[in-house]
């Protein structure tokens, strides 16, 4: 599996013969690596964890440009249908869909999934995370979430070896809770911190997170950096 961090919670991931984007918040993301899109030839699927703008991001534009199928919760797919998209894999929490040689399972996240339209706050489904497995790789993108006990169930059922965990605090869990997840709930080989450093209001840092992690290797990526796992 090749994994590229694109700043915030955005990743480009190649596994099981397909090219995936997750939470493609590019426009307005001060940490998005300049020039990345010019090098991106193909996108097969776009996975979206929830409707917040720092996760939905450029999904509509990129899905149209690359003719990619969006994998998201049913309500979010309905919402995107209203924005002109037509290629979806609607699903809901607990479900699994095939994507190339991968299996994509939607798992819970403790957060919210709202936007403001015409001055009103509208709920668009629930926030979720994704577990993606192929013959030789397994990845858990936690989305925006608090730590919660059933992360242990995600570990028992799917044994994800690579974890992408938010550490920025305030809107998600912070460094201490994310380290607890690694030490007590999920046995990752590799954990990549995300949802940090984008905006000053996100106070959690890898420097606070990494020393607390006793199980698994913390890989702090630079935006645009690719690792082979
Ligand atoms: Ni959010
Ligand atoms: Mn967020």
């Amino acid at each position: 599996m090749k994994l590229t961090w694109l700043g915030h919670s955005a990743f480009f991931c190649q596994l099981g013969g397909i090219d995936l984007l997750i939470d493609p918040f590019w426009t307005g993301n001060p940490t998005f690596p300049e020039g990345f899109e010019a090098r991106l030839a193909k996108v097969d699927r776009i996975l979206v964890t929830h409707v917040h703008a720092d996760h939905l991001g450029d999904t509509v534009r990129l899905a149209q440009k690359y003719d990619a199928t969006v994998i998201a919760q049913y309500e979010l797919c309905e919402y995107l249908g209203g924005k002109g998209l037509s290629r979806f894999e609607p699903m809901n929490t607990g479900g699994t869909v095939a994507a190339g040689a991968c299996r994509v399972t939607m798992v819970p996240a403790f957060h919210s999934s709202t936007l403001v339209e015409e001055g009103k706050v509208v709920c668009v489904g629930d926030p979720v995370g994704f577990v993606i497995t192929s013959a030789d790789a397994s990845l858990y993108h936690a989305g925006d979430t608090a730590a919660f006990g059933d992360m242990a169930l995600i570990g028992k059922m799917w044994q994800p070896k690579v974890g992408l965990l938010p550490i920025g605090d305030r809107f998600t869990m912070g460094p201490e809770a994310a380290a607890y997840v690694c030490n007590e709930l999920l046995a990752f080989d590799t954990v990549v911190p995300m949802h940090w450093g984008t905006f000053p209001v996100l106070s959690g840092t890898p420097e606070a997170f990494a020393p607390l992690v006793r199980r698994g290797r913390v890989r702090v990526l630079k935006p645009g950096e690719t690792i082979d796992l």
Side-chain angles (χ1 to χ4, degrees), residues 21 23-24 45-51 55-56 59 69-81 85 87-93 95 97 104-107 113 124-130:
L21 292 173
D23 284 358
R45 304 285 191 283
I46 302 177
L47 279 56
V48 185
T49 61
H50 61 298
V51 80
H55 297 262
L56 183 64
T59 295
T69 297
V70 174
I71 300 180
Q73 206 179 34
Y74 174 79
E75 287 78 8
L76 182 48
C77 291
E78 288 280 305
Y79 170 78
L80 293 173
L85 288 192
R87 294 188 57 179
F88 300 112
E89 195 78 76
M91 61 187 303
N92 216 321
T93 313
V97 298
V104 177
T105 299
M106 184 172 278
V107 297
S113 183
V124 182
D126 302 314
V128 301
F130 290 104

Side-chain angles (χ1 to χ4, degrees), residues 6 10 21 24-29 32 36-37 40 57-58 61-62:
L6 302 174
L21 292 173
F25 170 46
W26 295 6
T27 304
N29 174 359
F32 179 73
F36 177 80
E37 187 169 338
L40 184 63
D58 297 59
R61 180 180 70 80
L62 293 169

Side-chain angles (χ1 to χ4, degrees), residues 151-200:
M151 283 179 168
L153 180 63
I154 292 170
K156 283 180 185 162
M157 293 182 77
W158 293 288
Q159 298 97 36
K161 293 292 172 216
V162 179
L164 313 178
L165 298 182
I167 65 158
D169 218 326
R170 184 179 291 258
F171 300 110
T172 68
M173 59 186 169
E176 294 82 8
Y180 181 90
V181 169
C182 297
N183 296 335
E184 305 291 341
L185 300 179
L186 282 155
F188 300 124
D189 291 340
T190 303
V191 60
V192 177
M194 64 178 183
H195 214 271
W196 65 273
T198 327
F199 305 109

Side-chain angles (χ1 to χ4, degrees), residues 8-9 50 52 54-55 111 144 171-172 195:
H8 207 56
S9 299
H50 61 298
H52 288 160
D54 60 319
H55 297 262
H111 188 65
D144 277 359
F171 300 110
T172 68
H195 214 271

